[in-house]
Amino acid sequence: MKKTLILGLSILTTLHTYAQDTDSVAIRRIYNEALTNGKSYEWLRHLTKQIGPRLSGSAGAQKAVDWTKQIMEKEGFDRVFLQEVMVPHWVRGAKEEAYIQTGKQKITVPIAALGGSVATPPKGLQAQVIEVKSLTDLEQLGTEKIKGKIVFYNRPMDPTKLNTFEAYSGAVDQRANGATFAAKYGAVGAIVRSMTTANDDNPHTGSMRYGTGVPLIPTAAISTNGANQLSSLLKQNPQLTFFFKQNCETLPDAKSYNVVGEIKGSERPDEIIVVGGHLDSWDLSEGAHDDGSGCMQSVEVLRIMKALGYKPRRTIRAVMFMNEENGLKGGIGYADYAKKNNEKHIAAIESDNGGFTPRGFGIVGTPQQKAHVMAWKNLLAPYGLHEIGPGGGGADIGPLAQQGTALFGFKPDSQRYFDYHHTGIDKFEAVNKRELELGAASMAALTYLLDKYGLPEATAVK
């Protein structure tokens, strides 16, 4: 009996070691393919340089849809299709103007209208300024001190946060809700410090939203250098005024598409693993890190599998989501599509944190699912993927969680991301080829493990 038990344990140990060795070889082949024959970088070059900005509803967004569909068809994926979604259509109009007036001196500062904002009056808006650090500060001041003024939100991202996404989360409420709170107390406009730890002259746009029951006042982001200058001058002259002019407007919703490509599973085709990013970008630049990188990495995952002759057990699907930046209609529409068609998504991986050096994956799922994935850490650690554990999945794949799908957010190094985020300098030249390819390989390696071993079942949220 004892000998039988020892023999059984020996066989299990041998089988486990063999499986680990087989997986190590497979993952090594994935990285070799990405780093020697990868296409993600040249695809990104075309997306950014030949197509450029891709804000939802724009001609650029439609060109990106058509071209991405073409490259997936050219790669010979088993199925490529478009999924229709209606998306917001906001346009910036002529370039914004802004200056600080203190006495007779006019000091020009860089601003960018926030996505969804209304325009100023045709000749612009000029008023005294009141600086606050938070929405709470605003409430404490009240209508008497705010009415008729431009509210200047000047709370910086916390530079002590090592994870810059945590710092972003701690500051972005003033961008999203600042105009509504300011209007509630009678403000005529709102200016928000750009969401970055860098001190430069690049204003960072981004989405904002208006609440109900308050006037719609114009709102814009000011560069960090501009914010520092405005704050300093206010201390010297609290009576100074700020002028800004912007010409944006919201048009009727437009028809657009998610772009989907897949390789059919050979054993469990009804179980789907998604890899994806969002195809839309803000209108100020090429959207290279946000999120051209994630899109091209996702298509590359499927290309790598085909190039290696890998036959997945489950269906692997690359999804280019539309409208993450100012509405999330693509992510919501995709989840609705999956539910309507009774599709079973066991896992979804999103890349929307830039094309920088890979660090790991954040996991949203049950404790059993997290433990299952943590067992793969020794296979992924040789490739710098040490940060594997609880964390965010991604905005576009988030709606799939209602169906019990485990979510994985690809985590590159975060230190440089907010230098480029939503700015005019988020260009192809800011992306490093090797870092981009390592990210695609990392996503492909996790996809391989998810496909081979699956995940413990989770109960969908009702």
Side-chain angles (χ1 to χ4, degrees):
M1 180 68 179
K2 187 176 180 181
K3 288 183 178 180
T4 303
L5 180 60
I6 292 172
L7 179 62
L9 290 172
S10 177
I11 291 171
L12 287 173
T13 301
T14 302
L15 289 173
H16 177 73
T17 302
Y18 174 76
Q20 290 273 304
D21 290 345
T22 301
D23 292 336
S24 293
V25 170
I27 292 171
R28 179 71 262 183
R29 291 182 67 215
I30 286 171
Y31 276 84
N32 289 349
E33 173 62 27
L35 295 172
T36 56
N37 301 312
K39 293 187 179 182
S40 57
Y41 191 68
E42 289 308 314
W43 284 338
L44 182 63
R45 185 195 301 274
H46 184 100
L47 180 66
T48 54
K49 294 301 182 185
Q50 300 303 313
I51 297 175
R54 308 173 297 280
L55 190 59
S56 295
S58 69
Q62 185 56 49
K63 288 179 183 178
V65 165
D66 295 338
W67 175 76
T68 309
K69 182 173 181 285
Q70 288 172 12
I71 64 168
M72 289 203 273
E73 289 172 339
K74 185 177 179 181
E75 289 301 320
F77 300 157
D78 294 336
R79 183 184 177 212
V80 179
F81 63 98
L82 301 179
Q83 183 202 352
E84 183 179 318
V85 289
M86 295 300 292
V87 299
H89 188 192
W90 179 85
V91 294
R92 184 174 301 278
K95 184 175 174 58
E96 301 87 348
E97 304 171 39
Y99 60 79
I100 304 164
Q101 182 154 6
T102 178
K104 294 182 179 180
Q105 186 180 20
K106 292 182 179 180
I107 303 167
T108 302
V109 289
I111 67 164
L114 293 177
S117 176
V118 296
T120 59
K123 292 184 179 181
L125 172 66
Q126 188 164 8
Q128 288 187 355
V129 179
I130 187 158
E131 179 179 350
V132 298
K133 297 293 185 182
S134 68
L135 303 180
T136 302
D137 285 353
L138 190 76
E139 292 175 318
Q140 290 174 347
L141 288 170
T143 303
E144 184 178 341
K145 293 185 178 180
I146 294 171
K147 188 175 181 180
K149 295 180 181 178
I150 293 172
V151 172
F152 167 40
Y153 292 96
N154 192 32
R155 182 169 84 257
M157 286 172 52
D158 186 347
T160 68
K161 300 291 186 184
L162 297 184
N163 183 335
T164 60
F165 286 90
E166 185 180 349
Y168 175 75
S169 296
V172 75
D173 64 330
Q174 58 195 328
R175 188 194 77 197
N177 303 312
T180 292
F181 272 73
K184 180 180 175 182
Y185 296 100
V188 294
I191 297 295
V192 184
R193 182 187 183 92
S194 285
M195 298 293 111
T196 177
T197 55
N199 288 321
D200 58 29
D201 293 316
N202 302 308
H204 294 234
T205 191
S207 63
M208 55 77 60
R209 53 182 174 266
Y210 289 113
T212 57
V214 296
L216 308 186
I217 63 173
T219 180
I222 184 172
S223 72
T224 48
N225 280 349
N228 292 338
Q229 189 171 28
L230 177 56
S231 182
S232 177
L233 290 170
L234 275 169
K235 289 178 176 63
Q236 300 171 32
N237 178 13
Q239 304 304 311
L240 65 73
T241 60
F242 189 86
F243 168 89
F244 73 114
K245 180 183 177 183
Q246 57 191 43
N247 306 278
C248 41
E249 63 177 319
T250 298
L251 302 175
D253 286 358
K255 183 190 296 185
S256 193
Y257 305 89
N258 293 329
V259 188
V260 185
E262 68 180 26
I263 299 175
K264 206 72 173 176
S266 58
E267 296 177 15
R268 299 184 177 185
D270 60 322
E271 294 185 6
I272 299 168
I273 300 169
V274 161
V275 289
H278 65 86
L279 195 53
D280 61 307
S281 75
W282 281 108
D283 57 315
L284 295 179
S285 74
E286 300 169 0
H289 279 294
D290 186 22
D291 183 31
S293 292
C295 288
M296 299 303 96
Q297 287 171 327
S298 298
V299 179
E300 176 74 348
V301 169
L302 272 64
R303 187 205 67 80
I304 289 170
M305 291 186 168
K306 278 190 65 71
L308 295 177
Y310 178 73
K311 305 293 184 185
R313 300 176 181 183
R314 296 165 170 86
T315 294
I316 312 299
R317 185 178 283 178
V319 183
M320 311 295 102
F321 296 96
M322 183 55 68
N323 184 231
E324 186 273 348
E325 293 292 5
N326 61 337
L328 207 64
K329 298 297 185 182
I332 295 169
Y334 182 81
D336 289 345
Y337 170 90
K339 186 175 182 179
K340 179 181 177 182
N341 289 280
N342 294 314
E343 291 184 337
K344 182 180 181 181
H345 287 69
I346 68 164
I349 306 169
E350 183 166 348
S351 174
D352 185 20
N353 293 335
F356 301 103
T357 303
R359 294 290 187 238
F361 295 92
I363 310 168
V364 178
T366 66
Q368 293 78 14
Q369 289 172 334
K370 292 173 185 176
H372 188 75
V373 174
M374 295 290 280
W376 302 334
K377 287 187 75 170
N378 65 321
L379 291 166
L380 300 173
Y383 303 95
L385 300 171
H386 300 289
E387 298 177 22
I388 298 175
D396 288 302
I397 61 176
L400 288 171
Q402 295 296 314
Q403 300 168 36
T405 306
L407 309 180
F408 297 83
F410 172 57
K411 295 170 62 175
D413 184 271
S414 73
Q415 301 312 313
R416 290 171 287 159
Y417 183 67
F418 290 100
D419 293 357
Y420 303 102
H421 185 247
H422 297 178
T423 70
I425 61 171
D426 185 12
K427 299 180 179 180
F428 174 73
E429 291 79 7
V431 179
N432 176 274
K433 180 176 184 290
R434 186 169 179 84
E435 290 179 329
L436 183 73
E437 292 171 344
L438 285 168
S442 300
M443 293 167 65
L446 179 59
T447 302
Y448 160 80
L449 292 169
L450 288 167
D451 175 59
K452 182 175 179 179
Y453 295 107
L455 285 172
E457 288 280 351
T459 303
V461 178
K462 300 299 184 183

